Amino acid sequence: MHWVIIANFALQVFYGSFMVFAVLRPEGSAGPLWDRAMDLDPELMAMRRAYALETWVAITGLSLYLGVTEVLPRRLKES
């Protein structure tokens, strides 16, 4: 079950990143928008931001889960 949870978080991070940087991007651009964000359709920008937020939530969840299940037990064992 431990590896299923980690894989689920990792897939969420990958999917969200893929949606933001590959699917929901304006024509002719790749990666961050930088100054092109001002010219982007507000609806597309809102969708990108929603996926970016979902990705950050998954990154935070994965970090917390790994901290509690992997890092903390190792540190407690050392002391």
Side-chain angles (χ1 to χ4, degrees), residues 3 5 25 38 40 52 58 60 70 75:
W3 289 108
I5 294 170
R25 63 181 173 88
M38 297 300 290
L40 196 59
T60 302
E70 295 292 329
R75 291 206 176 167

Side-chain angles (χ1 to χ4, degrees), residues 55-70:
T55 303
W56 278 110
V57 169
I59 290 169
T60 302
L62 178 60
S63 300
L64 289 172
Y65 181 77
L66 289 175
V68 170
T69 61
E70 295 292 329

Side-chain angles (χ1 to χ4, degrees), residues 19-41:
M19 290 299 290
V20 169
F21 292 114
V23 176
L24 297 174
R25 63 181 173 88
E27 290 296 320
S29 70
L33 293 176
W34 304 115
D35 60 344
R36 291 184 305 261
M38 297 300 290
D39 302 326
L40 196 59
D41 176 43

